[in-house]
Amino acid sequence: MASYQGMEVVKNLVGHSGCAIQLCLRGDAYFVRKTSSSQQYNSRLKKQIEKQISLSCYIQTPDVYDVGKIDDLAYFDMEYIRGQGFVSYAPLQSVTTMCDLVERLCEAISTLSATRQRDLDPRLFLSKLDDLSRTVPLNPFYAAHSSFLRPLIDSLKRRPWTGVPKTLCHGDLTVENMLLTDDGAIVFIDMLDGELESIWLDIAKLLQDLRSGWSLRSLLWAGETAPSSRLLRTLTHYLADEIETQIARTLPQFSAVSQELRAVQALRVLPYVKDSAVYSHVVKGLKDLTKMREFV
């Protein structure tokens, strides 16, 4: 184990932002340290720390212990959660436990929905879609799908984008960003900052993740899937069905724009995809969405 500043690095953990995430030990206490990927990223990491602290008043997140800088890179130390990821947790649970998981997710959504301040400025959506108009075509895999993607983005630009609430939100709500404890609690991790701060976008991200299997793509997008992977696909679709049913009752306004919001969330990953098969799979998911509703 590497040792510095009175602590030992036990293990390097997997992250997706480019930041270093490490399980650390000081004395007999474990904690997790997240360190900025660059000086330019410091300001974003600070926003993510602030978001995690703010959300902790409403939903369960790891406690933040310490914030600082090392070699001009921002870092923060947080609580180590003894929990499991969705892949290892879900297949071993009873039907009752999975029903409880849906209820806890919907409770968190309801709690954050109640933090509504006002509606998001529609210009924020147009700005994001303008940005996607520039960045999506830069991906080398775009050309093969441009005849579909270009008009899709143009049609989304024509939406009025009114009535979407500004609320506290996670920013990247996927099954990959949840830890599930033995008592069934959900601990939300890896919050993401951004201009489009709305629980509606969280819901759209979660539903798109569950329907498409984005977080579990290494298991679910293979040509031949193992029985355990097929079980995971069944479980994610079950969760999506149940969450959509409950959201339709509690947030009918969201349901009216669910497909469009899911499309925006799917488009946002395309500039970063580095595999042609993965890119094609995301586009296929977008095509399935457009079959459900014409975005005009």
Side-chain angles (χ1 to χ4, degrees), residues 8 34 42 48 100 105 121 174 176 179 181 224 238 254:
E8 296 176 323
K34 184 171 184 178
N42 282 352
Q48 292 163 20
D100 290 342
L105 279 169
D121 186 335
T174 66
E176 202 170 23
L179 291 174
T181 64
E224 291 291 333
Y238 163 77
F254 165 81

Side-chain angles (χ1 to χ4, degrees), residues 47-296:
K47 291 178 182 177
Q48 292 163 20
I49 297 166
E50 292 169 349
K51 173 178 271 195
Q52 184 163 324
I53 293 171
S54 296
L55 285 176
S56 67
C57 299
Y58 299 90
I59 59 176
Q60 194 163 345
T61 68
D63 290 337
V64 174
Y65 294 150
D66 185 36
V67 177
K69 275 187 180 181
I70 297 178
D71 297 330
D72 291 325
L73 295 180
Y75 75 87
F76 72 106
D77 295 340
M78 65 187 122
E79 177 185 8
Y80 169 57
I81 303 296
R82 295 186 182 277
Q84 299 180 67
F86 184 82
V87 171
S88 57
Y89 177 87
L92 302 178
Q93 305 309 309
S94 66
V95 173
T96 299
T97 303
M98 294 305 291
C99 290
D100 290 342
L101 178 59
V102 172
E103 290 300 322
R104 290 177 190 243
L105 279 169
C106 289
E107 284 173 8
I109 289 169
S110 177
T111 298
L112 294 180
S113 294
T115 68
R116 181 174 189 155
Q117 305 165 30
R118 58 184 182 278
D119 288 348
L120 286 174
D121 186 335
R123 289 174 294 184
L124 293 174
F125 282 95
L126 295 178
S127 176
K128 174 53 67 176
L129 289 163
D130 282 340
D131 182 55
L132 289 170
S133 293
R134 292 188 297 271
T135 58
V136 170
L138 297 178
N139 190 296
F141 309 125
Y142 169 79
H145 306 281
S146 60
S147 61
F148 167 73
L149 291 172
R150 186 184 301 110
L152 172 61
I153 296 173
D154 289 343
S155 67
L156 288 168
K157 286 183 180 180
R158 293 194 292 270
R159 282 206 87 261
W161 294 111
T162 55
V164 178
K166 178 178 174 61
T167 70
L168 292 178
C169 69
H170 181 286
D172 191 20
L173 188 58
T174 66
V175 294
E176 202 170 23
N177 288 335
M178 302 175 195
L179 291 174
L180 301 146
T181 64
D182 289 341
D183 63 358
I186 305 171
V187 183
F188 297 91
I189 60 172
D190 284 347
M191 293 77 191
L192 195 62
D193 60 300
E195 294 294 327
L196 295 172
E197 296 282 280
S198 175
I199 187 62
W200 284 20
L201 282 153
D202 271 357
I203 303 168
K205 181 77 173 186
L206 178 60
L207 291 175
Q208 187 63 14
D209 191 48
L210 292 169
R211 291 292 186 199
S212 71
W214 169 257
S215 289
L216 310 177
R217 58 192 179 278
S218 63
L219 298 172
L220 302 186
W221 292 8
E224 291 291 333
T225 55
S228 58
S229 297
R230 293 196 294 273
L231 175 58
L232 277 171
R233 182 185 292 118
T234 299
L235 291 171
T236 57
H237 286 186
Y238 163 77
L239 286 176
D241 287 343
E242 292 302 309
I243 290 168
E244 283 187 323
T245 298
Q246 294 207 29
I247 294 299
R249 290 198 299 264
T250 58
L251 294 172
Q253 302 93 336
F254 165 81
S255 298
V257 294
S258 171
Q259 269 67 48
E260 288 85 346
L261 290 170
R262 284 174 56 189
V264 171
Q265 295 291 51
L267 285 165
R268 291 171 77 174
V269 309
L270 287 180
Y272 309 102
V273 175
K274 298 179 180 180
D275 179 272
S276 61
V278 171
Y279 197 99
S280 295
H281 207 109
V282 175
V283 172
K284 179 182 180 300
L286 280 163
K287 288 180 177 179
D288 290 342
L289 278 175
T290 61
K291 289 175 186 176
M292 297 170 67
R293 181 181 302 155
E294 291 294 330
F295 297 167
V296 295

